Amino acid sequence: MRIAMMASEAVPFAKTGGLADVIGALPLALEYCGHEIIVIIPAYKCISEAKLKITRVSRDITSSVIGKNIKVFFIENKSYFNRDGLYGDKNGDYPDNLERFAFFCRRSLDLLKEINFPADILHLHDWETSLAAAYLKNLYSDLSFYKRIKCVLTLHNIGYQGIFAKEEFPKLGFDWNLFDIEGFEFYNKINLLKGGIIFTDFISTVSQTYAKEIQTKELGFGLDGLLKSRKNVLSGILNGVDYSVWDPSADRFIIQNFSLANPEDKALDKEDLQKICGLRQDKDIPVLGIVSRLAQQKGLDIFAQGLDEICKLNVQLVVLGTGDLKYHELLKAAADKYPGVISLNLKFDDLLAHKIYAGSDIFLMPSRYEPCGLGQLISLRYGTIPLVFKTGGLADTINRNNGFVFSRYANEELVKLIKKATEVFSNKDKWASLVTNAMESNFSWKVSADKYIQLYAKAKKK
Ligand code: ADP
């Protein structure tokens, strides 16, 4: 099959979260299975600044190659994409995000014809590209080149929908008749994700539990009714991990490689982490790691409420993340109050992320909701035991054999479970068997790619 993947970020070019990991890895697994893939993303400033091999294709298009021969195309537009952020800056989202991504979607569709890539499937991701489904079905439907193309839209996080003021609707280039309850309208505003969900042929999301959860009032963020009405074309496919990037036996960022054959060598990475974080080098103190966007969704509210108690448990905390200023401030105050207990790193830092996955004992991920979650899957491979709230992809991947799970979302429950985890940690044999189970788990992309291929085949037949 021929698959064109459009997304707003992709490893190794531009990343703010798990979406980039998916777009960097799924195409490789699909190519390995014999399919022809291209990827299209915006030409952000960080891409031209990175020292990557990029060639010019045409006036406003450049490209690079990933995997064996997967072309990644970058859509240029200096005024839209030549900025420091992908979606916004310290003042919040860029005010012209609707125009930026509408432009990206249309330019990407035009590109398919220019490079003569008659895709069977257009695979879209999240609100930034969901508009392409609406363009395809409305503005491009009469053009023979586009007639056969089927759309799959993957929802990575329904908490982000691309909502804009009604007045911006003309900028999309549609007739006003698409601005109604059966189209883009959402409480008198434009909802780009909603439009995508309506016009796409198939919808997937990134875990089976999350596919059910988004059909409920509690986690559907207002789109539960619509998703329920489309449940026949909605399914859940778990994300995989790119083990060529996240592999403790070959990771170049960590001081000591280890694997199931020598898990005890992980101790040297713990020592290294404690050293670079200014924490006491003591193998008997459990190190709790966090690598996360600092947002309420990630459980930062209950974590912050429980922090005083957590810090009194004879643990060390290494936090890496950026996000809501409120949590930056809260964590800064806690780090000042508990020196030697909290190492606070308010930044995006891939190298430190690798060191935290490798050097921590426990990985905290108390997300309020979590479509799939990659952090817990990565930490499993590094023998770092995830401690999670039972939701979405966390519920589908973590259980008592490979981690710790709490099922009532409250700071007391989180603290109680951390306490329990530290008790288990002090039992060397029990802990070693947990680590073995964790490291044995396999969430490679192969399994997930097979499921996407089945979904594409179904869409193609439709
Ligand atoms: P999200 O909802 O943010 O996409 P995921 O768990 O799916 O959450 O993926 C997050 C990805 O981003 C993981 O690869 C994680 O290691 C990485 N990440 C998050 N915050 C940081 C950070 N501050 N520095 C480095 N990597 C980060």
Side-chain angles (χ1 to χ4, degrees):
M1 270 180 290
R2 284 204 186 93
I3 300 130
M5 201 148 317
M6 278 169 59
S8 56
E9 50 183 274
V11 162
F13 307 105
K15 168 168 171 174
T16 68
L19 170 63
D21 292 305
V22 173
I23 308 303
L26 172 60
L28 308 190
L30 294 170
E31 181 186 51
Y32 186 77
C33 298
H35 299 279
E36 200 183 334
I37 330 287
I38 61 164
V39 177
I40 314 176
I41 65 169
Y44 300 112
K45 191 172 169 188
C46 60
I47 298 174
S48 54
E49 282 173 350
K51 289 186 179 60
L52 297 157
K53 206 173 155 235
I54 289 176
T55 47
R56 179 148 299 281
V57 176
S58 65
R59 186 184 49 82
D60 65 337
I61 308 289
T62 55
S63 83
S64 184
V65 173
I66 57 170
K68 273 211 188 81
N69 195 22
I70 301 170
K71 278 221 162 112
V72 180
F73 292 94
F74 308 103
I75 307 274
E76 292 182 338
N77 182 312
K78 283 225 155 45
S79 71
Y80 286 147
F81 302 128
N82 198 31
R83 305 179 187 182
D84 288 334
L86 271 52
Y87 313 111
D89 55 22
K90 61 177 184 339
N91 300 316
D93 290 344
Y94 292 132
D96 57 351
N97 272 346
L98 174 135
E99 281 170 71
R100 296 172 77 227
F101 289 103
F103 167 81
F104 173 67
C105 289
R106 291 192 70 163
R107 188 66 193 92
S108 301
L109 286 172
D110 292 340
L111 178 68
L112 297 182
K113 187 149 183 269
E114 280 165 29
I115 58 169
N116 192 23
F117 190 82
D120 298 298
I121 302 295
L122 184 60
H123 191 167
L124 310 171
H125 300 267
D126 281 349
W127 73 263
E128 293 88 349
T129 55
S130 65
L131 250 180
Y135 282 136
L136 193 66
K137 294 293 154 66
N138 293 283
L139 302 187
Y140 290 70
S141 54
D142 291 338
L143 305 172
S144 62
F145 181 84
Y146 296 91
K147 270 206 170 96
R148 283 179 42 255
I149 303 179
K150 293 292 179 348
C151 273
V152 172
L153 170 62
T154 297
L155 310 174
H156 295 262
N157 189 338
I158 202 151
Y160 300 86
Q161 300 180 359
I163 295 178
F164 299 91
K166 176 183 176 176
E167 290 65 37
E168 295 207 59
F169 196 70
K171 293 179 185 161
L172 296 179
F174 295 123
D175 280 349
W176 271 106
N177 64 10
L178 286 190
F179 187 79
D180 74 354
I181 197 77
E182 313 264 275
F184 287 93
E185 189 192 347
F186 187 71
Y187 301 100
N188 210 31
K189 290 192 167 158
I190 305 166
N191 185 325
L192 296 184
L193 190 65
K194 181 180 174 227
I197 291 171
I198 289 171
F199 289 110
T200 189
D201 297 292
F202 281 84
I203 306 159
S204 72
T205 185
V206 288
S207 68
Q208 288 184 347
T209 295
Y210 193 60
K212 289 188 202 124
E213 287 171 345
I214 55 177
Q215 296 178 54
T216 66
K217 216 173 175 52
E218 201 195 346
L219 290 178
F221 286 89
L223 294 179
D224 38 298
L226 172 63
L227 287 163
K228 234 189 258 165
S229 76
R230 300 224 67 199
K231 69 166 187 256
N232 293 342
V233 294
L234 168 63
S235 58
I237 301 175
L238 210 59
N239 288 333
V241 176
D242 184 348
Y243 288 130
S244 70
V245 176
W246 300 107
D247 173 7
S249 70
D251 193 324
R252 283 173 294 116
F253 290 143
I254 62 178
I255 200 150
Q256 174 67 46
N257 290 121
F258 61 95
S259 69
L260 267 173
N262 57 336
E264 64 286 352
D265 281 359
K266 181 176 165 63
L268 293 170
D269 290 300
K270 174 169 175 176
E271 222 174 75
D272 177 50
L273 181 67
Q274 287 172 318
K275 188 167 134 207
I276 59 171
C277 290
L279 301 169
R280 196 168 64 171
Q281 287 173 274
D282 182 338
K283 63 179 181 358
D284 294 325
I285 301 179
V287 174
L288 316 182
I290 291 186
V291 180
S292 178
R293 278 186 292 118
L294 302 178
Q296 190 188 3
Q297 182 219 326
K298 297 291 180 182
L300 264 287
D301 52 351
I302 56 171
F303 176 69
Q305 287 156 14
L307 201 49
D308 267 322
E309 279 189 77
I310 295 168
C311 288
K312 288 173 188 151
L313 286 176
N314 192 30
V315 297
Q316 294 172 342
L317 268 169
V318 180
V319 180
L320 170 63
T322 56
D324 298 353
L325 288 182
K326 175 176 135 188
Y327 294 118
H328 284 215
E329 296 309 320
L330 257 158
L331 289 170
K332 266 192 226 158
D336 288 344
K337 189 167 167 193
Y338 298 102
V341 177
I342 301 180
S343 159
L344 182 60
N345 307 275
L346 297 172
K347 57 181 176 177
F348 196 96
D349 183 341
D350 208 26
L351 170 78
L352 184 56
H354 280 255
K355 286 182 179 288
I356 293 175
Y357 286 120
S360 305
D361 298 296
I362 296 165
F363 190 76
L364 292 186
M365 208 159 161
S367 305
R368 168 72 191 87
Y369 75 91
E370 191 60 73
C372 173
L374 283 175
Q376 87 280 16
L377 303 181
I378 296 169
S379 51
L380 282 175
R381 224 344 126 86
Y382 284 76
T384 300
I385 306 304
L387 188 154
V388 306
F389 177 56
K390 189 173 180 190
T391 182
L394 298 174
D396 290 357
T397 55
I398 305 302
N399 54 56
R400 62 165 66 157
N401 292 319
N402 62 7
F404 299 93
V405 185
F406 63 106
S407 45
R408 190 170 68 83
Y409 190 76
N411 62 314
E412 316 86 81
E413 297 295 313
L414 171 64
V415 174
K416 206 160 81 189
L417 195 60
I418 291 177
K419 208 168 176 180
K420 182 176 163 202
T422 60
E423 282 159 19
V424 179
F425 176 78
S426 57
N427 180 329
K428 297 275 174 280
D429 290 343
K430 255 194 181 169
W431 195 258
S433 82
L434 254 183
V435 169
T436 304
N437 292 347
M439 291 184 75
E440 273 173 348
S441 61
N442 187 350
F443 291 96
S444 78
W445 267 108
K446 173 80 184 83
V447 179
S448 307
D450 284 345
K451 292 189 178 156
Y452 276 112
I453 292 164
Q454 285 167 24
L455 178 61
Y456 297 154
K458 210 154 100 183
K460 195 180 163 191
K461 262 201 239 140
K462 199 181 159 192

